[in-house]
Amino acid sequence: ARLAADYGRAAAEAAAFAKEQGDAYSPGNAFDLGDWAVTLIGARWAAEAAAIAGILESWAFGAKSLDALPAVPFGSLRPGRLPSAAQRLEVRRFVDSV
């Protein structure tokens, strides 16, 4: 969300994928589709919040919360693997539906 607020949603999404891509090849780590989805949700939220007058105040004063968000249905891939096109699309659809 912070990267999206400072540099735009596209930059935040690119950084999120690059971070997970690095994790895919780091010893003892893997590309985590769930982490990527949550980061994409944060980037989307920040981009949308910046465009809606008063929304940040609603969050700051507790009128809005994350309690209604669905559980993220994704996990980690095997080490050394990147998501397929179908997996990337599934994550994007989930993010767009939240």
Side-chain angles (χ1 to χ4, degrees), residues 48-58:
E48 291 176 5
I52 301 172
I55 190 109
L56 295 178
E57 291 80 8
S58 295

Side-chain angles (χ1 to χ4, degrees), residues 20-27 29-31 79-82:
E20 290 302 326
Q21 188 174 24
D23 286 351
Y25 299 107
S26 296
N29 210 341
F31 191 106
R81 300 284 177 136
L82 295 177

Side-chain angles (χ1 to χ4, degrees), residues 26 44 48 67 80 83 85-87 92 94-95:
S26 296
R44 178 179 154 207
E48 291 176 5
D67 293 339
Q87 289 169 314
R92 293 266 181 201
F94 174 79
V95 169

Side-chain angles (χ1 to χ4, degrees), residues 20-95:
E20 290 302 326
Q21 188 174 24
D23 286 351
Y25 299 107
S26 296
N29 210 341
F31 191 106
D32 190 319
L33 293 169
D35 282 356
W36 185 46
V38 169
T39 304
L40 294 179
I41 291 168
R44 178 179 154 207
W45 176 84
E48 291 176 5
I52 301 172
I55 190 109
L56 295 178
E57 291 80 8
S58 295
W59 283 90
F61 294 107
K64 300 267 188 190
S65 85
L66 299 175
D67 293 339
L69 286 178
V72 177
F74 308 107
S76 295
L77 301 177
R78 292 192 353 233
R81 300 284 177 136
L82 295 177
S84 67
Q87 289 169 314
R88 291 192 306 269
L89 181 59
E90 185 180 3
V91 168
R92 293 266 181 201
R93 285 183 176 156
F94 174 79
V95 169

